[in-house]
Amino acid sequence: MSTQKHLSPSVWAELFLLAVLWGAVFFANRIALDEIGPLTLVAHRTLWAALLLWLVIFATQTPLPRSPRLWGAFLVMGLLNNLIPFGLLNFAQLTIESGLASIFCRHGVGRVARRAFSCPTSASR
């Protein structure tokens, strides 16, 4: 198996588009937080994404799972992967810059929390 040594221009364009979208989300969140609360923002974000996904499901005629246990797993996954992290990030963006929030998002909530609670603050020095 050969390894890729160079990125094609189309891959660079996709990477640039990803970076612009990623940064724009945090920038837009910060602007929206001036008008609405953090949990309302999370609700809007997940509502519009869910509507889009339901449209894709209906357009592709994908069969829906019937198991209540599976829907329960979807609920838990939604809480752990969307509501809790995005809610915490939105609350954080009330006091920190969007760029810092995007870095925290990249490193995961657990890792950031461990760092925050293990580092001495400037007030305790």
Side-chain angles (χ1 to χ4, degrees), residues 10-120:
S10 65
V11 171
W12 278 109
E14 290 172 352
L15 187 60
F16 179 75
L17 178 64
L18 178 65
V20 168
L21 291 174
W22 183 265
V25 167
F26 286 95
F27 179 68
N29 280 352
R30 183 61 201 118
I31 292 171
L33 285 169
D34 289 337
E35 301 298 326
I36 61 176
L39 294 180
T40 305
L41 182 58
V42 173
H44 272 284
R45 184 176 179 169
T46 53
L47 171 77
W48 296 112
L51 286 175
L52 180 67
L53 289 174
W54 278 110
L55 286 173
V56 170
I57 286 172
F58 288 130
T60 60
Q61 298 179 347
T62 303
L64 295 175
R66 303 238 184 263
S67 167
R69 184 175 174 169
L70 187 57
W71 283 100
F74 288 158
L75 177 66
V76 170
M77 187 171 51
L79 289 172
L80 294 176
N81 289 334
N82 289 305
L83 180 66
I84 294 171
F86 293 143
L88 290 173
L89 282 167
N90 286 346
F91 273 112
Q93 277 188 275
L94 293 172
T95 57
I96 64 173
E97 296 167 358
S98 297
L100 186 56
S102 69
I103 292 169
F104 286 167
C105 183
R106 160 59 181 90
H107 287 288
V109 175
R111 224 187 295 175
V112 170
R114 279 194 305 273
R115 289 283 287 192
F117 291 112
S118 66
C119 295

